[in-house]
Amino acid sequence: MNFLHRATGDPAASLAVFPGTFNPVTVAHRALAEAALGQADEVLLVLPRTFPHKEYSGASFDDRAGMLCALAARMDRVSVASSEKGLFVDIASECRQAYGSQVSLAFLCGRDAAERIANWDYGRPGAFAEMLRQFSLLVAARQGEYAPPDAYRHAVRKLELAATLDAISATEVRQRIAKGEPWEHLVPPEIREQARKVYG
């Protein structure tokens, strides 16, 4: 794990880990991070160098990292790091090396991402249940609430977000920019000029 921006203050005993493609960062990403600070000492925005389900396209790694750092610099208790791999289990391992073995980890995601990781083919049965002994999930509604199977319910907590953020996506931002439609309200003020240069 390589830190690109490190929060000041005491070491985190509880860490909310937020991996994503951040192509670009949206106001929904920011709101999710802010909500998680109510349940963790620190939020770590993680930009993987490789993704398990997609390739880099559009904005480069450096472009996305720059936008994340610009955002985190204006937020308390938020760090930014890159990881070598994109699966939660791999990121968790990197987090424990960076923060220590005693840190309590919770991964932030929306309903769609929670369903994807719960149903991912990890190559062996029971792999996801094993992961949930290492970390928990903080899940926000995204076009519906996440309903975890009973076996996983103990490790999944709901993260409350305003319903107006439910449909906001980075895809919509890119589409609006390409069509010349208003998009600025969908990204945090700190990154608007960077987003204009990268996507405009």
Side-chain angles (χ1 to χ4, degrees), residues 89-136:
V89 65
D90 296 320
I91 295 171
S93 177
E94 292 188 47
C95 285
R96 293 202 181 280
Q97 290 177 11
Y99 285 85
S101 59
Q102 299 306 308
V103 67
S104 173
L105 299 178
F107 277 77
L108 300 180
C109 58
R111 176 209 49 83
D112 50 343
E115 290 177 352
R116 185 169 59 243
I117 67 164
N119 297 312
W120 191 265
D121 181 5
Y122 295 98
R124 59 189 174 82
F128 185 60
E130 288 177 21
M131 291 178 207
L132 291 183
R133 290 195 282 272
Q134 301 176 45
F135 57 78
S136 60

Side-chain angles (χ1 to χ4, degrees), residues 65-191:
M67 287 185 280
L68 285 173
C69 289
L71 178 66
R74 300 294 295 273
M75 299 178 71
D76 293 331
R77 297 187 290 137
V78 176
S79 296
V80 179
S82 64
S83 63
E84 291 305 314
K85 298 180 180 178
L87 292 177
F88 280 17
V89 65
D90 296 320
I91 295 171
S93 177
E94 292 188 47
C95 285
R96 293 202 181 280
Q97 290 177 11
Y99 285 85
S101 59
Q102 299 306 308
V103 67
S104 173
L105 299 178
F107 277 77
L108 300 180
C109 58
R111 176 209 49 83
D112 50 343
E115 290 177 352
R116 185 169 59 243
I117 67 164
N119 297 312
W120 191 265
D121 181 5
Y122 295 98
R124 59 189 174 82
F128 185 60
E130 288 177 21
M131 291 178 207
L132 291 183
R133 290 195 282 272
Q134 301 176 45
F135 57 78
S136 60
L137 297 180
L138 282 171
V139 184
R142 186 168 175 80
Q143 283 141 32
E145 299 280 350
Y146 179 54
D150 288 342
Y152 304 153
R153 204 172 293 275
H154 69 284
V156 177
R157 287 175 285 157
K158 183 178 177 182
L159 200 59
E160 296 288 347
L161 283 184
T164 54
L165 298 170
D166 188 52
I168 294 174
S169 70
T171 300
E172 182 184 3
V173 174
R174 297 194 306 272
Q175 289 173 345
R176 282 175 169 266
I177 291 174
K179 294 176 182 177
E181 297 174 351
W183 57 273
E184 290 85 354
H185 61 293
L186 299 176
V187 302
E190 297 88 346
I191 67 121

Side-chain angles (χ1 to χ4, degrees), residues 43-54:
V43 169
L44 178 65
L45 305 173
V46 178
L47 182 62
R49 291 193 176 273
T50 58
F51 301 117
H53 60 291
K54 61 179 73 176

Side-chain angles (χ1 to χ4, degrees), residues 16-50:
V17 186
F18 190 1
T21 57
F22 303 111
N23 187 28
V25 186
T26 69
V27 293
H29 290 134
R30 179 177 187 148
L32 191 56
E34 288 174 336
L37 286 171
Q39 301 193 38
D41 296 327
E42 184 179 323
V43 169
L44 178 65
L45 305 173
V46 178
L47 182 62
R49 291 193 176 273
T50 58

